[in-house]
Amino acid sequence: MKRKAEGGAPDSDGDETTKSDSALLSSLDSSGDICEALMRRYGKSAAPQHRHLCASAAAMRSILLEEGLPLSPPVYLAAAVHTLRSTGSDPSAASAIASFLSILLPLIQNGELSTTKAGDAISVLAVFLKENKELPTGTVRSVVRVLGMLVLHADKEDWKALELPLDALLAFSVDKRPKVRKSAQEFVDKIFTFLKGSGTIKDAEKTILTIFDKYIQSVKNLSLTKYVDSSKKIENTEESELVHFLNLLKPFSPHLSKKSLRKCFFEALKLLTPNFNVLTRHLLKLFEALLEHLDLQYLSGESETFISSLIVYISKEKNPIDTVVIALELLKDCLNKLKDIQPSMWSKSLPPIFEAASGYISSDVESSKKIGSTLKELIVYHIDGRPFLKRENKLVEHEMESSSEATAIISICSSLCRTLSNAEKPTESVLGVISVLLLKLDESSCFFTKEIILRLSQQAADLHKEMPIYKNIQECIGCAAIAIGPEKIISLIPINLDEEKSTCSNTWLIPILNKYTLGASLQFFMDHIVPLADSVKNICRKGKKGSKQRVVQSWINGLWGLLPAFCRFPSDIKSSFGSLVELLVKRLKEEYSLHEIISKALQELLNRNKTLCSGNQENVLVELMTTLSLKPCHLDFTEKVHSEKSAGKNLKVLASHSMELISTLSDIFFDSSAEKRSYLKDTVKCLASVAGSVNICTFYLSLVKRLDFADVDMEDKKVKDQDTVTTENMEVDKDNLKEKQDVKRHMMLELTSTFVAVANEDLLNILFDFIRTSLLRDAECCHGEAFFALSCILKEKSDFGLSRVDEIMLLLHNVKSSTDNTAIMNRLSCYHHLLVHMLKVNEDTMNNKAFLILNEIILALKSKKESRSLAYDVLLAISSSLKSNTQSDLQRLFTMVMGYLSSPSSHITSGAISALSLLIYNDAEFCLGVSNLIPSVLVLLQNKSNEVIKAALGFVKVLVSTLQTDKLIKLQGEILKGILPWSAVSKFHFRSKVGIIIEILIRKCGFGSVDMAVPQKYKGFVKTIAEARQNKKNPKEGDDDSENAPETEISSPNKRAKKSDADNVPATERWRPFNAKGSAGKSWKIRKHNLNNTSEKSGKSGKGNVKFQPQAESKGDNHKRKRSVSEQQNKNKKRKVFGETRLGNNSVKKPRSFGKPKKNAPQK
């Protein structure tokens, strides 16, 4: 069997060469000999088509050589065309020449072939195709492609030269052979693109239209009105050719003029019948292409005929659903284009469209969703309920009954209502269409869609809540609530209470109103919802405890839960908010369960209006549409939401009643639990933002006086001056009184933080004095809230903090809490805001104070675990705050922390290094821009303090873990120089830390790069790390694999373990096991040798002077290695020797006493 490469050339039918062959031949330049290339490629092939091809090429080459002609592609072309004409109907010869031409023609460059020679070749090939239509498919296809390519070399202004080949290509564009037809259509499209802008384009269009008329006339006598099954194949030749020509016109329509497009549209419209036939699907797709490039103003009165034909077609139930989808899309596009030309067209067309299409959307198939989407777009584009809302209701209803638009909408609603009634349960498509219709009709939906809403309410009451479609019904009724408002919804679907039977109807509507109420009336809530809730409450009081009472209580909670929804952009704040405040104050004092609901309602009311008043209406609209799961095109929400001007007026009304609400909520606040105080505090903060600083100041002073905080200090002094002899009961009363007073002070401090944002200078002084007094008292339970209130002041009021910085810093320094984590966190938060403000100011006096704050944070980094974690968080917050401002402020922070590196206290120095490690963790690249940061830390690796060394190694580990590889490669020399001396020290796990750092370097930079930067005496240690890392990747590699390993690899640890000196290493020098990241839980033991003289031991210990061996994890340096029973029998004579190998003296090994301390630093 021949190999595939030889079969890549034309087959017996004359197909083209493969891509590899085309690439080979296309690589030839214009002076290359194509015959020689073909002989090289196919000369050894035994395939008949290859032999014919090579023989034909060789014959033409010999003739050209005899006549002394150059062997160029144009000359070969002339010879091949002449040969093709002389072959006649010989299939083999024609196939070979056609294949030769298809290979040859791409080699001819533009301008290399004259238009005259191209015209001669075109005429010969066109005649050949006309006379030899029945040749094999491959041959005809090749000739068609050659003819198409030659036309692109012809004179575009010479119609006589173009007419014949264009007729031939158009004739083959409807050929029954798919490959031939596709090639012909491809080159017809290219030719029209080639002729664009020339004088012959009109002649070409006439040719197209003439052929189209011919096919139209040929199928007129056929029976196209009879329904045909869509799965039936086309048998009639005229129909088949017309279908192929329609398929040609679809991609070809952009090249036609408006006049030609109009004529094609009219002729195709004559073939469109109410019943599906073999042409329908292709006609509809042709209409899509024509309407895309044709304005309907060119169609004049025919547009109505077209719309009517499509409506009749979609009304036939037997027609295929995919064609109905296409027809609806055409109707939508046509009506959208006619909106400005014929504005009343939609009122005539949409009712029958919805009547015909409503049956399709009553099922849950995919095509129904597409039809539903089209109907939604028709509603959005054409239907609008606002024109019916210009006058009083009676006049509007009169207009609704008389206008054509209202009649059309009534007809559409009737169709959808029938669809709902006929279905056992509604579909998602039907509900989606109704939802969009409700939103577009807006308030006029109450007149048009009353029956639909009632039908939906019946289905919502009947269906089980767990059914998937129930959610869609809720959304649909919610759209009705948005459109017509909750007042009219409740009038249509009343929530009635039957006191005798203790039942309440339509309670399923409450959660829908809770989500979808928008722009409602506060007065309606007070007049209808509140009395209903009170009536339900009376039933709850009379009833017995049990499940029924829990149900009734849920009704009460649901009805009062509507209050936040009614506060979502209410329409009558100015007229009704005063009455609402009276009601809310009364209920706040009487009903404990309503506190949270009323708080949420007030927050909703205040926050919405404040956001609108700041000019963020677009953000409010986006948030609102996301919450309601709606699209902007469905409803104009700007009319439902207050404008910036009206929001400002609303805030004035809210401010006028804010102090009354603050006073009431504050009284409740001091009698509430911690959980309840959280939302009360948020509500007070919202009210304080509009109440004004002067009013808040007066209220705060009165509150302090009322709670007896003003005279506490004087009372304490009086108590101290009294006689110290008191009874036990008096002491207990005093302790109880103090405890109660501390609880009140704690609550007062909670409330203090809510007033900071609106405080002026006078109020800030009052707040700060109270905070300071609370901190100086002995009650540590108040310190957490006091520090929090102070941090709020420092965060919101930077000028105040800087003006009293000395007093604040002294207060923070003197008051410390060692037990309460909340107090510690809030105290550090005060330092955070104060330090950020100081660094932004950048003054010498402030910088000196900033060092004191940094000192506190660094000390916290070295404290107990809980405080250390809080200090980490604060330091990261400081870095984030400075980074958001300018890079220079953050650099100043780094520089200030670096100042602590020279501290004589190792405790402070290690804390500063830990701070730097934390700062570079999130942004390691930034540390490269800080001058001398990395060298300043690396030089501390020569320090004698173990604490400093440990922190410095931790810094290096963070640095190598976070830096990018390209930056790390530049620094690896300095890093290795600093850390490698500590590879000889096992105490404090220094050696394991160095090993982990080197393993990270190898993983990121590669062993070769790291090995080049390692000093000679440490290469063995580094190579051992690399070996261990490789063995972790390939734990089951055999001895044979190690021989074939790369040069950077080293022998396995099992081989090295068998060396003669394996047991002579003192046990005290074994490296304590460590768990490195990525080591899969394995521990490793390093045996240390002299690092100053590697030549003596190199012969014994193999490659390198450090042994790195897997070992079970132990708990100490002197812990004996566990061995199996067989190992103890084989090595029972060997004993472990405890000693120390001193640096710089490898020849002498002195025994070491247990009491002698081991050196921690390498010898310099």
Side-chain angles (χ1 to χ4, degrees), residues 342-394:
Q342 295 176 315
S344 61
M345 178 62 74
W346 73 269
S347 61
K348 301 177 184 178
S349 304
L350 287 190
I353 290 175
F354 274 81
E355 182 66 28
S358 59
Y360 292 105
I361 59 175
S362 59
S363 60
D364 280 325
V365 296
E366 187 65 28
S367 56
S368 298
K369 296 179 181 179
K370 294 179 181 178
I371 293 174
S373 178
T374 304
L375 295 179
K376 290 179 188 177
E377 293 179 26
L378 285 169
I379 292 172
V380 170
Y381 206 80
H382 297 285
I383 296 179
D384 190 3
R386 288 176 295 180
F388 305 109
L389 303 174
K390 293 180 179 179
R391 303 180 184 178
E392 298 295 332
N393 291 336
K394 292 183 180 179

Side-chain angles (χ1 to χ4, degrees), residues 628-644:
L628 302 178
S629 303
L630 299 175
K631 295 182 180 179
C633 60
H634 294 165
L635 179 66
D636 187 7
F637 283 94
T638 55
E639 297 182 0
K640 298 286 184 181
V641 177
H642 302 144
S643 64
E644 184 176 349

Side-chain angles (χ1 to χ4, degrees), residues 8 101 212 331 341 376 545 586 609 753 867 976 985 1067 1145:
L101 284 171
F212 189 40
L331 282 168
I341 304 172
K376 290 179 188 177
K545 293 184 178 180
K586 181 181 178 182
N609 282 280
S753 61
S867 301
L976 290 169
V985 180
N1145 186 8

Side-chain angles (χ1 to χ4, degrees), residues 573-579 581-582 585 606 648-662 686-692 695:
I573 291 179
K574 185 177 180 180
S575 59
S576 304
F577 187 68
S579 303
V581 170
E582 293 179 7
V585 169
L606 288 158
K649 294 180 180 179
N650 292 337
L651 284 179
K652 291 180 180 180
V653 176
L654 297 174
S656 63
H657 299 276
S658 59
M659 290 310 303
E660 182 181 0
L661 290 167
I662 289 175
C686 289
L687 290 167
S689 64
V690 297
N695 294 329

Side-chain angles (χ1 to χ4, degrees), residues 96 111 286 307 393 439 446 525 549 551 564 585 631 683 799 903 986 1041 1066 1071 1114:
L286 176 61
I307 292 173
N393 291 336
L439 293 173
C446 189
F525 179 84
Q549 191 178 31
V551 172
V585 169
K631 295 182 180 179
T683 308
D799 294 338
S903 172
S986 60
D1041 296 335
W1071 188 18
S1114 61

Side-chain angles (χ1 to χ4, degrees), residues 798-857:
S798 59
D799 294 338
F800 178 84
L802 294 176
S803 64
R804 305 184 69 168
V805 62
D806 294 328
E807 189 177 358
I808 293 172
M809 289 188 63
L810 183 62
L811 182 65
L812 293 173
H813 179 73
N814 292 335
V815 182
K816 297 181 180 180
S817 178
S818 58
T819 57
D820 188 3
N821 287 335
T822 303
I824 295 172
M825 179 182 66
N826 292 332
R827 178 173 174 270
L828 290 173
S829 180
C830 294
Y831 280 132
H832 161 210
H833 300 302
L834 201 56
L835 179 60
V836 169
H837 296 322
M838 287 178 177
L839 292 176
K840 289 181 179 180
V841 171
N842 192 22
E843 295 178 357
D844 293 338
T845 55
M846 292 297 175
N847 288 339
N848 294 333
K849 295 179 176 63
F851 274 110
L852 298 176
I853 295 176
L854 272 179
N855 193 63
E856 290 286 340
I857 296 175

Side-chain angles (χ1 to χ4, degrees), residues 341-557:
I341 304 172
Q342 295 176 315
S344 61
M345 178 62 74
W346 73 269
S347 61
K348 301 177 184 178
S349 304
L350 287 190
I353 290 175
F354 274 81
E355 182 66 28
S358 59
Y360 292 105
I361 59 175
S362 59
S363 60
D364 280 325
V365 296
E366 187 65 28
S367 56
S368 298
K369 296 179 181 179
K370 294 179 181 178
I371 293 174
S373 178
T374 304
L375 295 179
K376 290 179 188 177
E377 293 179 26
L378 285 169
I379 292 172
V380 170
Y381 206 80
H382 297 285
I383 296 179
D384 190 3
R386 288 176 295 180
F388 305 109
L389 303 174
K390 293 180 179 179
R391 303 180 184 178
E392 298 295 332
N393 291 336
K394 292 183 180 179
L395 297 176
V396 169
E397 291 183 6
H398 177 71
E399 283 189 8
M400 289 177 180
E401 294 173 357
S402 60
S403 66
S404 60
E405 291 83 1
T407 305
I409 295 173
I410 292 172
S411 177
I412 292 170
C413 293
S414 300
S415 300
L416 293 174
C417 189
R418 282 194 297 272
T419 304
L420 275 178
S421 302
N422 295 333
E424 182 179 353
K425 60 180 181 179
T427 62
E428 184 179 347
S429 301
V430 174
L431 295 173
V433 173
I434 293 175
S435 298
V436 176
L437 180 62
L438 288 165
L439 293 173
K440 288 299 292 182
L441 290 174
D442 203 19
E443 293 183 26
S444 59
S445 296
C446 189
F447 175 80
F448 290 111
T449 62
K450 182 178 179 180
E451 296 298 326
I452 293 178
I453 295 173
L454 293 175
R455 180 59 187 166
L456 287 171
S457 67
Q458 293 175 5
Q459 292 177 337
D462 296 339
L463 290 176
H464 197 274
K465 292 184 179 181
E466 295 182 359
M467 295 184 67
I469 198 63
Y470 186 78
K471 181 181 178 182
N472 299 95
I473 295 177
Q474 282 186 315
E475 292 176 355
C476 194
I477 298 176
C479 291
I482 294 173
I484 65 178
E487 301 90 343
K488 295 179 181 179
I489 281 288
I490 292 176
S491 66
L492 291 174
I493 314 171
I495 304 175
N496 295 325
L497 176 66
D498 189 342
E499 296 185 5
E500 295 181 358
K501 297 181 180 179
S502 299
T503 58
C504 190
S505 63
N506 298 322
T507 53
W508 55 266
L509 184 61
I510 295 175
I512 297 176
L513 294 177
N514 196 353
K515 181 178 180 181
Y516 291 97
T517 296
L518 183 67
S521 169
L522 296 175
Q523 192 64 44
F524 179 83
F525 179 84
M526 292 184 286
D527 294 342
H528 295 83
I529 305 298
V530 174
L532 180 60
D534 291 340
S535 300
V536 177
K537 187 175 181 181
N538 292 332
I539 295 178
C540 187
R541 288 174 179 173
K542 296 176 183 178
K544 298 180 180 180
K545 293 184 178 180
S547 59
K548 183 64 178 179
Q549 191 178 31
R550 288 194 293 271
V551 172
V552 175
Q553 185 62 45
S554 68
W555 298 343
I556 300 173
N557 296 335

